[in-house]
Amino acid sequence: MGALGGLRRPALPPRGPLELPLALLELGCAGRFELLAGPPGAGQAPPPRATLPRGLPPFAPPLVSELEQQILGSPEWLPPHQHERARRSWQRAPEPRALFALEPTPVPGGLRAERDPRSGALRGFTEELLSDVGLSAKNSLSLRRPPGPPGQSLRGSATNFPFWPGGLDEPSLEQIRSHEEEEEDVDFESNLLMTPPGMKRGVDYKPPVAGAGGPLSLSSLLGTLDAFDLGGDEGSPPPPPRRADSLEELLLKEAVEPPPPPPAAPPDPPEEQWAVPVDASTPVEDFQERVPDPAFKWPFAPDPFQQQAVLCLERGHSLLVAAHTSAGKTAVAEYAIALAQRHMTRTIYTSPIKALSNQKFRDFKATFGDVGLLTGDVQLRPEASCLIMTTEILRSMLYNGSDIIRDLEWVIFDEVHYINDAERGVVWEEVLIMLPEHVKLILLSATVPNALEFAQWVGRTKRRRLRVISTRQRPVPLEHFLYTGNSPRTRHQLFLLLDARGNFSTQGYYAAVEAKKERTSKHAQTFGAKQPTMGGTGPGQDRGVWLALLGLLREPGQLPVVAFTFSRSRCDEHADALGTLDLVSSAEKGRIRLFFQRCVARLRGSDRRLPQVLHMAELLQRGIGVHHGGVLPLLKEVVEMLFSQGLVKVLFATETFAMGVNMPARTVVFDSIRKHDGNNFRDLLPGEYVQMSGRAGRRGLDSTGTVIILCKGPVPEMADLHRMMLGRPTRLQSQFRLTYSMILNLLRAQALRVEDMMRRSFSEFPLRRDARAQERRVAELRRALAALGEPEPGGAMADLGPYHRAVQGLRQARALLQRRLAESVAGLRALAPGRVVVVCTPKHRNALGLILQVSPEGSSRTFTTLVLCEKPPEEGGRRGDPPNPPDVPYPEDLLLTRLFVPEGPHPPGGRGGPW
């Protein structure tokens, strides 16, 4: 042991660099290395290593396995404040048997109990088939389909079918099954293919005929036995044919008998009357007896048109009410809402703008309580019996098959004349066409000249008669004035232009013109003739005009005032210009401050310090408000509520404030009568002026309303003012057009076609209404053309073709030349008022005319011309008949060498007729 313990391990020489078990690890591609020690006793050094593969460009290592291990396997790696972004997955055990599970098939039939009608004892059960089995919102347009999920009852779903529109004949289940596109009528008795493609012989489906020596078939034998006559039937043999039945006698009879007279033309069927006008000029004397228990009572006595509307609603009639602004059309809507609540049904009130929806929601909620609001960004109480929404929301609900439509009784369209809007007017037509049959309509509109025509279209489309109630009576008459400026002479003077009875005052107009000229001449004398005249105004002059006008209106108690300004920036500028004007008392200031603070408290702390909020608070403290599309929705609502309470004395608003918002004022002021319609500047239309000026005059508070037109520049032309104030309102015109959303929504349901929507639009209504008359006219023209025969190629009619082509070319060249001359600068200068022209129309041929006025309307111009014509027909004549088409033009007519001169007394030596 000792010897062994004395042994020592021999010392070995150190290894060289090539013998050490070391290796270099290259880290990435940044030039960093790490030294790795290999296992002891290795024979040779391991080769160099790297974290990147050899021969490939650098790339990042995959992180999928690391993320799965850390994120999915260890949730504690997730930060606690971002738990909503966490995702976990669990492996699901495969269950193949779950694929065999099917939904229960709906039962196609049911059992109906039969009972004794006297005792009620059960007699038995009868099996009957159910016709509405398997219907759902995904495959049926019927109202008999079961309701969808509760979450889709309000807005519906984009995959649902809409309900069947009213007015269209809904196909039955048998018709749908018999007219499927996949089905094909096959005649199994004839026209069968017997030889398959590629084969020489086929199968003969004809029954075999038994030959003389062949076997007899049982079917042919039974058929022969059925044809045997055993003589059991009583009857005489048929008589022999008579001589008179010969062919010669029949031909003789046909030659002798006179030809039958041509059938008389069937009488024209009477035109269907879907619009029934109702007389609303006189009050209903026995109104209390006819409606003993009204669904809603107003604090005032209803007007005659409101009484007639209540009678129509009680009978369940749809109606169109056309009346002036602030005439009380909302009372009709209130009665319909109360009637629906009595019937335990729903009502939808649609409006064109959100401001009107918000205002109606506040008013109806205070009156009825159970009212909801649906707009693009607000949804309040969707389960209410009365829902207020924009028309676009209702269109979406109809296309998506909302189940609320089932309980719907009334749909109220406020400001239905908005159908004239070029961009959104198609929405009203879509909704009117898509509403189901059981929904009744209430259309509220301003006074329009073609109310009966519009109601006729709606009634024809929905196959429902509409009662039309139209009144032009205004509850508060209006007086229209001109205000010329802030000169010492006219700053306290208003020039009457139109009195309460509708009489236009030319004296007041010329007085305003003289006052404006005097002011202009003084301005030129003060600042020099080369200085700008009063045609253009600056901020200082605007401020002086508004301060002088408000001082004039404040003294006799003409406040509150709505100042319509057709520009958002000018609204803010006019409000800022009245920096020192204070129109409210100290008590009213306190009420405004408390109300504003209570409303703004719903905002966040930083939002309460927004510049617009602070600026609006400062304006409202002085009784001045601003209302336009650039104001925050909350602030607009605050301004509307303060104005309705009478705390806002001056409100600078754009045109949208007059769109149905029931907030009348004592006075309405127009900053200008010209506006920009999106394309160019133009004067206000009569309907627009009536809509905005109708906000003047508070019913029950004011005897008359005041409308003032500011004349900052030159006084407008008398003809323009007369046309704007007393002109005919704009007719309701169709703005229907195909949109991508309409086409896609209709393609979801195969039963609804885009062609049906186009055919039932308001634009196609005149063509469909006059289709029969046009067909008769075409038939008459074809008969007249056939009676003329073909013209002879030679003789007197040889030059008919060249003459026709020459006349057509002359007319086209003349029309092109006249259009180019009218568009040129020299032509516009020549076609000025006072120019004598030759008028050629279907009613006038080469008649002399005098241009009275040239009115620019967009890119075109309207020439008002006094035409020399014959004496109009006497009373009782056919004044409304269309003019006869012009005769064939003669060369002198085409060359304008003969002018029309009406018959009548002439100077000596003259004569009547053309010359």
Side-chain angles (χ1 to χ4, degrees):
M1 293 295 294
L4 293 174
L7 294 176
R8 295 181 179 180
R9 186 174 183 179
L12 299 176
R15 296 183 179 184
L18 300 178
E19 299 178 357
L20 295 177
L22 300 177
L24 290 178
L25 175 63
E26 183 180 1
L27 301 178
C29 58
R32 298 178 56 192
F33 294 90
E34 185 177 346
L35 186 64
L36 300 179
Q44 58 183 357
R49 302 176 182 178
T51 57
L52 299 177
R54 297 287 181 178
L56 295 178
F59 69 97
L63 302 178
V64 177
S65 58
E66 182 181 357
L67 291 176
E68 289 179 352
Q69 180 181 2
Q70 294 183 358
I71 303 301
L72 300 180
S74 303
E76 60 272 6
W77 284 77
L78 295 175
H81 58 277
Q82 294 182 354
H83 60 87
E84 68 276 0
R85 298 185 180 182
R87 298 292 185 269
R88 298 189 61 182
S89 63
W90 294 268
Q91 294 293 334
R92 184 176 61 179
E95 297 181 3
R97 295 183 178 273
L99 300 176
F100 300 99
L102 298 177
E103 295 292 334
T105 305
V107 181
L111 298 178
R112 180 172 53 88
E114 293 185 355
R115 298 182 179 274
D116 189 350
R118 291 176 295 180
S119 62
L122 182 64
R123 292 181 176 179
F125 295 91
T126 303
E127 185 178 3
E128 59 181 7
L129 295 178
L130 301 178
S131 60
D132 301 332
V133 176
L135 300 183
S136 66
K138 311 299 180 183
N139 59 10
S140 174
L141 290 84
S142 176
L143 286 168
R144 296 186 293 270
R145 71 191 189 195
Q152 300 178 1
S153 61
L154 179 63
R155 302 271 185 168
S157 175
T159 59
N160 289 354
F161 279 23
F163 291 109
W164 189 263
L168 287 176
D169 296 330
E170 184 174 0
S172 61
L173 190 61
E174 290 77 10
Q175 293 176 347
I176 296 177
R177 291 174 178 173
S178 61
H179 291 85
E180 288 290 340
E181 295 182 358
E182 292 78 14
E183 294 184 0
E184 183 179 357
D185 296 334
V186 180
D187 186 7
F188 291 96
E189 299 295 335
S190 60
N191 299 331
L192 293 178
L193 297 178
M194 297 180 293
T195 304
M199 294 187 180
K200 297 182 179 180
R201 292 185 302 174
V203 180
D204 191 2
Y205 294 98
K206 295 181 180 180
V209 180
L216 295 176
S217 63
L218 181 60
S219 59
S220 61
L221 181 60
L222 293 177
T224 306
L225 292 176
D226 293 339
F228 283 166
D229 187 7
L230 302 179
D233 296 337
E234 297 181 358
S236 58
R242 297 180 300 172
R243 185 68 179 173
D245 294 338
S246 62
L247 182 61
E248 295 82 0
E249 187 174 352
L250 291 178
L251 292 176
L252 184 60
K253 285 185 177 181
E254 292 182 0
V256 172
E257 291 180 357
D268 297 339
E271 184 181 358
E272 296 175 322
Q273 294 294 334
W274 298 104
V276 181
V278 178
D279 184 16
S281 58
T282 58
V284 182
E285 297 180 356
D286 54 346
F287 180 74
Q288 300 294 337
E289 291 76 10
R290 300 174 71 174
V291 188
D293 185 19
F296 185 79
K297 295 182 179 180
W298 298 281
F300 55 88
D303 291 339
F305 85 93
Q306 295 170 344
Q307 294 177 348
Q308 294 290 351
V310 169
L311 294 179
C312 294
L313 295 179
E314 288 287 347
R315 297 168 185 167
H317 297 159
S318 299
L319 70 153
L320 167 64
V321 180
H324 281 295
T325 307
S326 303
K329 298 187 294 291
T330 308
V332 181
E334 291 175 345
Y335 196 88
I337 296 173
L339 201 61
Q341 291 184 349
R342 172 180 288 185
H343 298 165
M344 302 182 68
T345 55
R346 287 179 179 266
T347 307
I348 288 182
Y349 186 100
T350 66
S351 65
I353 56 176
K354 293 182 181 180
L356 178 58
S357 300
N358 298 334
Q359 192 252 343
K360 294 301 180 184
F361 173 72
R362 293 191 300 266
D363 296 345
F364 290 163
K365 185 170 178 55
T367 304
F368 301 101
D370 191 17
V371 180
L373 177 64
L374 291 178
T375 58
D377 50 0
V378 178
Q379 178 173 319
L380 301 175
R381 294 179 52 83
E383 72 282 355
S385 61
C386 175
L387 293 178
I388 301 174
M389 62 186 68
T390 55
T391 315
E392 284 79 3
I393 299 295
L394 179 56
R395 178 184 62 173
S396 176
M397 294 171 59
L398 289 173
Y399 279 131
N400 295 339
S402 173
D403 288 328
I404 288 182
I405 308 298
R406 299 173 181 270
D407 305 330
L408 195 58
E409 182 180 6
W410 300 98
V411 173
I412 305 170
F413 293 91
D414 199 0
E415 307 295 334
V416 76
H417 56 269
Y418 210 83
I419 197 174
N420 284 341
D421 187 80
E423 296 294 332
R424 301 173 55 200
V426 62
V427 180
W428 274 257
E429 294 192 51
E430 287 185 74
V431 172
L432 288 172
I433 295 173
M434 291 298 299
L435 280 174
E437 184 179 5
H438 69 280
V439 180
K440 304 168 188 174
L441 306 175
I442 298 177
L443 309 176
L444 307 180
S445 170
T447 53
V448 290
N450 59 336
L452 279 176
E453 180 187 3
F454 182 74
Q456 182 78 6
W457 167 71
V458 176
R460 184 189 181 100
T461 303
K462 310 307 295 182
R463 313 300 296 179
R464 178 193 298 270
R465 294 185 183 274
L466 258 74
R467 272 61 182 178
V468 181
I469 302 175
S470 180
T471 176
R472 301 187 63 86
Q473 182 181 1
R474 188 181 295 275
V476 180
L478 302 180
E479 294 180 346
H480 305 256
F481 297 89
L482 291 176
Y483 186 72
T484 57
N486 58 344
S487 63
R489 180 170 174 261
T490 61
R491 64 180 307 171
H492 298 292
Q493 186 177 3
L494 295 174
F495 301 96
L496 180 63
L497 192 62
L498 191 69
D499 60 9
R501 293 186 298 272
N503 300 322
F504 192 87
S505 175
T506 57
Q507 182 179 0
Y509 173 80
Y510 288 119
V513 171
E514 293 297 329
K516 196 66 179 178
K517 288 182 178 179
E518 180 183 356
R519 175 63 180 170
T520 305
S521 61
K522 289 184 178 180
H523 185 276
Q525 293 175 5
T526 304
F527 298 97
K530 294 184 179 181
Q531 295 294 328
T533 60
M534 293 294 291
T537 59
Q541 294 173 345
D542 286 350
R543 180 177 182 274
V545 170
W546 281 109
L547 289 176
L549 178 61
L550 294 179
L552 173 63
L553 298 177
R554 189 176 183 181
E555 296 176 358
Q558 296 288 330
L559 302 180
V561 175
V562 176
F564 286 108
T565 306
F566 305 110
S567 172
R568 297 181 183 180
S569 60
R570 287 212 307 268
C571 285
D572 298 331
E573 292 173 1
H574 294 338
D576 296 339
L578 306 178
T580 60
L581 185 64
D582 192 353
L583 301 173
V584 294
S585 61
S586 58
E588 292 174 336
K589 287 181 182 292
R591 293 174 55 189
I592 294 173
R593 185 184 305 107
L594 292 177
F595 184 83
F596 189 84
Q597 292 177 355
R598 187 166 62 251
C599 294
V600 178
R602 293 181 292 176
L603 299 176
R604 298 178 181 178
S606 58
D607 294 341
R608 300 176 191 174
R609 310 301 301 174
L610 290 174
Q612 190 179 92
V613 176
L614 299 178
H615 183 59
M616 187 65 70
E618 190 270 334
L619 290 177
L620 292 176
Q621 288 291 322
R622 296 185 285 111
I624 302 173
V626 178
H627 188 286
H628 55 74
V631 181
L632 295 175
L634 176 63
L635 297 182
K636 284 199 297 185
E637 189 173 355
V638 170
V639 171
E640 293 171 5
M641 298 177 71
L642 289 176
F643 185 82
S644 61
Q645 299 175 15
L647 299 178
V648 174
K649 306 301 181 181
V650 178
L651 178 62
F652 294 96
T654 54
E655 186 180 0
T656 56
F657 185 78
M659 187 57 66
V661 181
N662 188 18
M663 294 181 183
R666 179 68 176 88
T667 305
V668 166
V669 178
F670 286 90
D671 180 68
S672 174
I673 63 171
R674 294 184 61 83
K675 59 172 288 189
H676 194 273
D677 58 358
N679 297 322
N680 46 32
F681 285 94
R682 61 169 176 83
D683 292 341
L684 291 177
L685 300 177
E688 297 171 343
Y689 182 80
V690 170
Q691 180 81 16
M692 287 181 277
S693 63
R695 295 301 164 198
R698 298 164 295 181
R699 187 170 186 175
L701 298 178
D702 305 325
S703 58
T704 58
T706 304
V707 181
I708 301 175
I709 299 176
L710 294 185
C711 301
K712 299 179 181 178
V715 179
E717 295 291 336
M718 181 189 298
D720 297 338
L721 294 174
H722 191 277
R723 183 179 60 255
M724 182 183 65
M725 295 179 178
L726 301 176
R728 196 175 187 184
T730 306
R731 295 170 53 89
L732 294 180
Q733 298 178 354
S734 175
Q735 303 295 335
F736 184 84
R737 68 182 187 279
L738 290 179
T739 59
Y740 291 110
S741 61
M742 181 196 309
I743 297 174
L744 295 177
N745 287 321
L746 293 177
L747 288 179
R748 288 192 288 110
Q750 297 181 357
L752 298 178
R753 301 183 304 170
V754 181
E755 293 83 357
D756 294 336
M757 184 73 75
M758 298 171 58
R759 191 179 300 112
R760 294 156 59 84
S761 65
F762 188 33
S763 60
E764 294 292 326
F765 171 67
L767 299 179
R768 294 181 60 195
R769 179 189 56 191
D770 303 334
R772 296 179 181 177
Q774 292 176 359
E775 291 175 358
R776 292 193 301 270
R777 178 62 179 166
V778 169
E780 294 175 0
L781 293 177
R782 286 179 176 175
R783 288 194 297 267
L785 182 61
L788 293 177
E790 294 292 335
E792 298 179 0
M797 304 297 292
D799 58 348
L800 179 60
Y803 175 76
H804 178 266
R805 290 190 294 271
V807 168
Q808 290 296 106
L810 176 61
R811 286 186 170 181
Q812 295 176 1
R814 178 173 292 169
L816 179 61
L817 181 62
Q818 290 178 354
R819 184 169 63 252
R820 295 290 177 84
L821 287 176
E823 293 175 355
S824 63
V825 178
L828 295 177
R829 191 181 302 112
L831 296 177
R835 174 70 64 181
V836 178
V837 294
V838 179
V839 180
C840 296
T841 63
K843 187 180 294 186
H844 307 285
R845 172 178 293 180
N846 293 352
L848 292 177
L850 179 66
I851 298 179
L852 300 180
Q853 182 186 2
V854 181
S855 303
E857 296 181 0
S859 59
S860 61
R861 282 177 168 80
T862 301
F863 295 90
T864 304
T865 308
L866 178 65
V867 182
L868 201 62
C869 62
E870 289 286 356
K871 183 179 179 181
E874 300 294 336
E875 295 297 332
R878 304 180 64 181
R879 183 183 298 270
D881 294 348
N884 296 327
D887 300 331
V888 178
Y890 291 98
E892 54 267 21
D893 296 331
L894 295 173
L895 298 176
L896 300 181
T897 57
R898 298 179 60 187
L899 296 179
F900 169 80
V901 177
E903 297 182 358
H906 291 271
R911 58 185 181 90
W915 56 276

